[in-house]
């Protein structure tokens, strides 16, 4: 089925995009499930929030490094892109005031609840590993003071809310421009090189100068209002690209059934794989050449980050085009996953961290620990989300048009 389907009485949805959203939810859970087992993982007892993960296992595997790294390059940017696709139509249908109110309930309220109640539950094992006890009073004080109220995976929600708010305020001034750009891109659906080059230049300009100035792993913010400095403009640019792509319908233009992008979907998948392999293959040679002073630090940095952002662009396009090509029929399983995706994200981190904590005391291979953590976290958070979905307030905050974040990874 290639046309939008009517999931509710007044909302058009696209099955392939819903299923991509559901898949990214699973990828988020898998990503988090891997972080305790990477070779670069470290735990800081003095301030556990600065650790690479709330729980770090002594059992490691290099394969987890590559899995985590591949995800980290693209899927956060892709989720921001998806988060912008239906924005124009939503504001036009609801009006500015109703749209902002809607986003307040769907994004900001879950952010406040998640960054306090849910993260208090999730980070408790980390406190135990640091201090050797479960003193709840001391833990709560430490959580909000010493650790400065860590938001965990919830940071994305407030940033997405901010992006929504900014665009809603500017909507009357920019709506015509967004539509013109969207039509222009649609007219170039059979000229992929121009679109790829434009996409790449926007991504490069929004990321490379920022990472040069701030470093790759710098985070800042007040309390739970935290964000990664080097990527904030990259995320915003992908968010705007998502808005532009959605102006004329995401099933049209470059994602139309007969477009070059969709017909040659395998090229973007191959590009995704090859650019990531290129990125990994140049790391050691670049380091060696730099140490031999054949390249300056800036030159080596620009080469690496330019390929890094190319991998980000190709991976994002590959997943969009692959799901557009393959997942066009209705699947009850995928539909149920999509319907519960936001709820799964909000809840899953509790199960991930506690599973990793329990498994640190059990001698098992890394892949077994990872699989147990992933399966339990998906199943348990899905079940909780399903039952909470029967509560009206929960449904209002977690249904429709929401995409999922992932937990920040400290610089390696």
């Amino acid at each position: 089925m290639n046309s939008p389907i009517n999931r509710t009485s007044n909302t058009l949805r696209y099955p392939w995009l819903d299923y991509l959203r559901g898949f990214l939810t699973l990828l988020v859970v898998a990503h988090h499930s891997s972080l305790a087992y990477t070779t670069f993982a470290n735990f800081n007892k003095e301030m556990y929030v600065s650790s690479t993960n709330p729980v770090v296992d002594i059992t490691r595997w290099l394969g987890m490094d590559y899995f985590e790294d591949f995800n980290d390059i693209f899927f956060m940017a892709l989720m921001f892109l998806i988060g912008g696709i239906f924005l124009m139509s939503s504001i036009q249908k609801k009006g500015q005031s109703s749209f902002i109110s809607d986003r307040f309930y769907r994004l900001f309220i879950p952010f406040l609840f998640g960054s306090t109640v849910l993260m208090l539950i999730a980070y408790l094992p980390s406190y135990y590993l640091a201090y050797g006890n479960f003193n709840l009073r001391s833990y709560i004080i430490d959580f909000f003071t010493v650790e400065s109220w860590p938001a965990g995976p919830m940071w994305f929600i407030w940033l997405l809310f901010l992006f929504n708010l900014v665009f809603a305020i500017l909507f009357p001034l920019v709506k015509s421009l967004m539509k013109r750009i969207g039509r222009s891109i649609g007219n170039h659906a059979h000229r992929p090189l121009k679109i790829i080059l434009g996409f790449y230049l926007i991504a490069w300009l929004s990321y490379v100068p920022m990472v040069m100035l701030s470093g790759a792993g710098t985070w800042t913010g007040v309390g739970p209002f935290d964000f990664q400095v080097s990527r904030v403009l990259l995320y915003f640019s992908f968010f705007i690209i998502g808005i532009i792509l959605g102006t004329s319908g995401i099933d049209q233009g470059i994602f139309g059934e007969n477009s070059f992008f969709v017909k040659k979907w395998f090229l973007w998948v191959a590009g995704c794989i090859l650019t990531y392999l290129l990125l990994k293959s140049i790391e050691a040679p670049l380091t060696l050449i730099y140490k031999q002073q054949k390249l300056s630090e800036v030159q080596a940095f620009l080469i690496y980050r330019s390929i890094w952002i190319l991998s980000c662009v190709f991976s994002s396009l590959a997943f969009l085009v692959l799901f557009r090509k393959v997942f066009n029929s209705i699947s009850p399983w995928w539909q149920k996953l999509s319907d519960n995706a936001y709820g799964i994200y909000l809840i899953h981190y509790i199960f991930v961290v506690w599973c990793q904590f329990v498994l640190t005391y059990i001698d098992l291979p890394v892949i077994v620990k990872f699989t147990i953590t992933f399966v339990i976290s998906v199943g348990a958070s899905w079940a909780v989300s399903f039952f909470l979905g029967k509560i009206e307030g929960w449904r209002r905050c977690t249904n429709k048009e929401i995409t999922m974040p992932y937990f920040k990874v400290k610089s390696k």
Side-chain angles (χ1 to χ4, degrees):
M1 180 175 180
N2 295 323
S3 59
I5 60 171
N6 212 336
R7 280 179 58 188
T8 65
S9 59
N10 60 357
T11 305
L12 288 175
R13 309 296 297 180
Y14 299 92
W16 67 272
L17 195 59
D18 279 341
Y19 301 162
L20 176 56
R21 183 181 288 115
F23 170 79
L24 288 174
T25 308
L26 297 182
L27 197 58
V28 165
V29 181
H31 184 87
H32 292 162
S33 298
S34 73
L35 290 173
Y37 311 111
T38 59
T39 61
F40 62 83
N42 68 84
F43 187 81
N44 184 353
K45 288 189 175 183
E46 300 299 322
M47 192 175 185
Y48 59 77
V49 73
S50 66
S51 305
T52 56
N53 196 58
V55 173
V56 171
D57 204 297
I58 60 172
T59 308
R60 316 288 181 84
W61 180 40
L62 186 61
M64 294 289 102
D65 292 28
Y66 290 112
F67 177 73
E68 178 278 329
D69 183 61
F70 175 75
N71 294 334
D72 180 63
I73 289 173
F74 84 96
F75 78 153
M76 196 63 208
L78 179 56
M79 286 188 284
F80 273 105
L81 187 151
I82 293 174
I85 286 174
F86 296 110
L87 216 64
M88 288 275 286
S89 59
S90 185
I91 297 174
Q92 289 173 327
K93 181 177 70 175
K94 298 173 183 177
Q96 283 177 287
S97 298
S98 295
F99 174 82
I100 292 172
S101 174
D102 175 79
R103 287 308 189 261
F104 179 82
Y105 281 102
R106 292 183 181 177
L107 292 171
F108 198 72
I109 295 300
F111 163 73
L112 291 179
F113 176 74
S115 62
T116 51
V117 177
L118 299 181
M119 289 305 101
L120 271 172
I121 300 172
Y123 275 98
L124 184 55
S126 200
Y127 178 83
Y128 176 83
L129 292 174
Y131 298 101
N133 66 75
F134 284 116
N135 187 312
L136 294 183
R137 182 177 181 276
S138 297
Y139 166 59
I140 293 172
I141 294 172
D142 178 82
F143 183 88
F144 288 106
T145 57
V146 177
E147 311 301 333
S148 302
W149 194 352
M154 305 301 161
W155 70 269
F156 171 78
I157 302 179
W158 87 263
L159 197 57
L160 183 60
F161 173 73
L162 178 63
F163 290 173
N164 275 252
L165 183 62
V166 168
F167 187 82
I169 293 172
L170 297 177
F171 178 71
L173 302 175
V174 301
K175 61 179 180 180
S176 296
L177 176 62
M178 295 291 104
K179 290 179 180 178
R180 285 200 302 271
I181 297 174
R183 285 195 297 269
S184 177
I185 292 175
N187 292 334
H188 289 79
H190 298 287
R191 298 177 180 175
L193 291 181
K194 287 188 175 182
I195 294 175
I196 289 289
L197 181 60
F199 195 170
Y200 177 72
L201 287 176
I202 291 170
W204 194 97
L205 290 171
S206 63
Y207 174 69
V208 176
M210 288 293 291
V211 77
M212 286 185 71
L213 293 172
S214 65
T218 302
W219 289 76
T220 190
V222 178
F225 298 94
D226 202 13
F227 64 93
Q228 191 171 6
V229 178
S230 64
R231 300 191 189 187
V232 65
L233 292 184
L234 175 67
Y235 295 155
F236 187 68
S237 70
F238 269 67
F239 178 73
I240 295 299
I241 289 170
I243 294 173
I244 293 170
L245 292 176
T247 55
S248 57
I250 192 64
D251 261 4
Q252 308 301 319
I254 67 173
F255 296 112
E257 185 177 7
N258 295 315
S259 78
F260 183 89
F261 279 86
V262 175
K263 283 185 174 181
K264 304 296 183 180
W265 60 272
F266 52 88
L267 293 178
W268 316 118
V269 174
C272 162
I273 297 170
L274 292 175
T275 51
Y276 181 70
L277 291 177
L278 174 63
L279 182 70
K280 293 293 101 180
S281 67
I282 67 166
E283 288 180 349
L286 266 182
T287 302
L288 178 61
I289 293 172
Y290 166 66
K291 289 181 178 180
Q292 293 174 343
Q293 298 184 339
K294 294 180 181 179
L295 283 176
S296 69
E297 182 178 3
V298 172
Q299 289 171 328
F301 175 88
L302 287 174
I303 292 171
Y304 181 80
R305 289 299 168 182
S306 295
I307 298 174
W308 189 98
I309 203 67
L310 185 64
S311 179
C312 175
V313 168
F314 264 106
S315 294
S316 298
L317 280 172
F319 278 93
L320 283 165
V321 173
L322 178 63
F323 271 77
R324 173 65 179 91
K325 179 65 177 180
V326 176
F327 295 94
N328 284 308
S329 59
I330 306 303
S331 165
W333 184 90
W334 276 108
Q335 195 63 55
K336 289 177 182 178
L337 173 63
S338 300
D339 290 342
N340 286 280
Y342 190 42
I344 291 171
Y345 163 72
L346 288 172
I347 299 164
H348 81 277
Y349 204 62
I350 295 173
F351 295 105
V352 167
V353 176
W354 277 93
C355 281
Q356 290 170 339
F357 173 66
V358 172
L359 290 172
T360 58
Y361 299 97
I362 302 175
D363 185 18
L364 291 170
V366 165
I367 194 64
V368 175
K369 289 188 176 185
F370 166 79
T371 303
I372 291 172
T373 300
F374 173 71
V375 171
I376 290 178
S377 299
V378 170
S381 56
W382 192 338
V384 173
S385 176
F386 174 79
F387 287 110
L388 288 176
K390 300 180 182 298
I391 302 173
E392 176 61 30
W394 179 266
R395 286 201 304 272
R396 181 177 183 182
C397 289
T398 58
N399 70 347
K400 301 180 204 171
E401 300 182 21
I402 301 296
T403 188
M404 295 71 56
Y406 82 115
F407 182 67
K408 68 185 183 184
V409 182
K410 301 294 181 180
S411 61
K412 300 185 277 293

